[in-house]
Amino acid sequence: MIILTGASGFIGSCLLTKLNAEGYYRDVVVVDDFYKLYKDKNTDGKAVREWMHRDIFLDWFEKTSQKIDFILHIGARTDTTEADKTIFDDLNLNYSKRIWTVCTRRQIPLIYASSAATYGDGSNGFSDDHALIPKLKPLNPYAQSKHDFDKWVLEQKETPPFWIGCKFFNVYGPNEYHKGRMASVILHTFQQIKASGGMRLFRSHKPDFADGHQSRDFIYIRDILDMILFFIRNQDKKSGIYNFGTGKARTFLDLAKATFSAMKIPENISFIDTPADIRDSYQYFTEADMSKMLSEGYPGNFTSMEDGIYEYVSRYLESSQYY
C-alpha cells in the first residue's frame, strides 16, 4: 500500500495520475480535505483504494496494522500570505512530525514536501547541503514552517529506512486552477493575456534588478513527478533533503514572452508595483543547486521553460484540461 497526502492539490493530484500510469491503482490510499469541493476535478477518474479525510488520517495511521510500503506526504497549507503561524504549526509542522514518527517506528519509507521558500532572500545561497540548512532565514510563516520541519528532521537520530525531503522550486503545470493567488505565474499570465491581451509584471523595487528581471527556477510538473518516481524506484540512494528544480533561473520577462508565444499573441508587457503585503517577503532570485541530486544518478534532462509553457498552454490551459 502507498499513502499519498495532499491528493487533491496541484502536485499531489498530478502525482496520483502518475502513480496510476505506473500501475499503482487499488493499492493507493489518498488523504486530503475532501470537503473542499472546488478541487474535485483534480481527482476525477483517478483509481484509488480508499479516500481518507486528513482529520482522521493520523489516528488511523498511528493505529493501523496494515502493511504500508511508502508514504508520499505532499499535503500542506501553502498560502504564503497567511500570517497566522499557529495554522502552519498545526498543518505543516506538527502533522508532519507525527507522520515521520510513525514511519520511523514502523520503518516505512517517506518522501515529504519541503519548499524553496525556505531559502528566504537567497543571501545564504541555494545549496541543499545539510550543514547549511540551519542558517537559512525564511521570509514568511509558510516558509518558516517548512524550514522548521527540515531542521527538526535533521536533528533526529532515528529515521525511516529511506527518506527524502523535496525542496520544490517554482512548479507549474495542470491541476493548479484552484490555487487562486497562489497559482503559478504562468497560469496568471495566461489568464491575464486571454482577458486583456496584455501582461502586467511586478516592477522591481531593488536597484540591482531591472523590471521583469526578477528570476525564479521554474520547473514543469512533469519533471517533479519524474524525480519523485526516481526516488521511489531507487531506495538505495542517499536519504536526505534535496532541491527539486532545474538549476537554471529564468526571468519573469522570459516567462511572459514564452506565454505570449505559446498563445500565438503579440507581446504586450507592462509593469505594476509589487503588492505591499508581499513586497518585503518577495524573492528576487532563486536557482536550485542540483549537484547533490545529479550526483545520486538522476539524469537531469529537465524540460526547458519554453517547452514546458508551450505544453501547459496548448494541452491544458487553452481547453481547461486536467492531468
Side-chain angles (χ1 to χ4, degrees), residues 8-303:
S8 292
F10 166 37
I11 296 176
S13 64
C14 289
L15 182 53
L16 179 55
T17 301
K18 183 73 170 179
L19 290 171
N20 281 179
E22 294 292 320
Y24 299 98
Y25 293 101
R26 297 300 177 186
D27 51 354
V28 181
V29 172
V30 295
V31 180
D32 211 314
D33 180 355
F34 294 114
Y35 294 130
K36 295 181 176 178
L37 304 182
Y38 58 84
K39 295 193 290 184
D40 277 1
K41 288 186 178 180
N42 279 357
T43 52
D44 280 353
K46 309 291 171 71
V48 304
R49 172 174 173 172
E50 185 175 355
W51 307 85
M52 190 175 299
H53 196 278
R54 75 180 184 199
D55 290 348
I56 65 172
F57 166 66
L58 286 176
D59 287 342
W60 174 87
F61 185 42
E62 290 171 339
K63 297 173 183 177
T64 185
S65 59
Q66 296 184 53
K67 185 179 186 303
I68 299 169
D69 300 299
F70 220 109
I71 305 291
L72 303 169
H73 179 36
I74 308 300
R77 180 68 175 266
T78 59
D79 187 349
T80 59
T81 65
E82 172 62 64
D84 187 349
K85 182 177 181 295
T86 60
I87 293 175
F88 294 110
D89 284 345
D90 182 27
L91 296 178
N92 291 0
L93 179 58
N94 296 326
Y95 201 97
S96 300
K97 284 182 178 181
R98 287 178 68 180
I99 289 176
W100 173 280
T101 299
V102 176
C103 287
T104 298
R105 175 169 53 84
R106 295 189 57 186
Q107 289 294 279
I108 302 168
L110 168 68
I111 291 178
Y112 75 87
S114 180
S115 172
T118 58
Y119 286 113
D121 64 5
S123 59
N124 289 297
F126 298 94
S127 170
D128 48 11
D129 184 333
H130 289 180
L132 299 177
I133 288 176
K135 301 176 183 178
L136 301 179
K137 297 179 180 179
L139 299 175
N140 56 59
Y142 159 70
Q144 187 65 52
S145 69
K146 289 297 189 179
H147 181 54
D148 288 345
F149 184 63
D150 285 342
K151 289 193 299 179
W152 181 84
V153 161
L154 295 178
E155 293 168 354
Q156 302 311 299
K157 294 181 180 179
E158 296 184 350
T159 71
F162 176 72
W163 63 273
I164 299 293
C166 312
K167 280 188 182 285
F168 295 132
F169 276 68
N170 285 74
V171 190
Y172 66 95
N175 298 18
E176 61 169 339
Y177 303 104
H178 65 282
K179 289 175 67 74
R181 190 178 181 184
M182 294 298 107
S184 74
V185 184
I186 292 88
L187 177 57
H188 288 299
T189 302
F190 173 85
Q191 291 174 334
Q192 195 173 132
I193 293 171
K194 190 174 182 180
S196 69
M199 177 60 189
R200 297 182 299 170
L201 297 175
F202 288 156
R203 184 175 289 115
S204 172
H205 296 272
K206 291 186 176 182
D208 48 341
F209 284 86
D211 291 343
H213 283 256
Q214 305 95 318
S215 301
R216 295 282 192 279
D217 192 330
F218 297 102
I219 182 164
Y220 192 36
I221 185 64
R222 175 153 44 89
D223 295 325
I224 292 291
L225 304 180
D226 286 344
M227 284 187 271
I228 292 174
L229 263 291
F230 171 79
F231 282 117
I232 292 176
R233 293 168 175 154
N234 296 280
Q235 296 179 38
D236 58 332
K237 303 301 180 183
K238 186 176 181 180
S239 293
I241 297 171
Y242 286 81
N243 284 334
F244 277 57
T246 67
K248 185 176 182 180
R250 299 292 302 275
T251 69
F252 284 98
L253 198 57
D254 289 338
L255 180 152
K257 290 180 177 180
T259 308
F260 277 107
S261 176
M263 295 176 71
K264 298 180 174 60
I265 293 176
E267 293 176 14
N268 178 15
I269 301 170
S270 57
F271 297 92
I272 60 172
D273 286 343
T274 304
D277 66 332
I278 63 171
R279 194 175 299 173
D280 292 340
S281 62
Y282 190 76
Q283 291 177 303
Y284 273 67
F285 179 85
T286 67
E287 184 176 82
D289 178 347
M290 296 300 295
S291 57
K292 185 161 77 173
M293 183 174 288
L294 296 177
S295 73
E296 288 297 314
Y298 187 74
N301 300 319
F302 301 110
T303 306

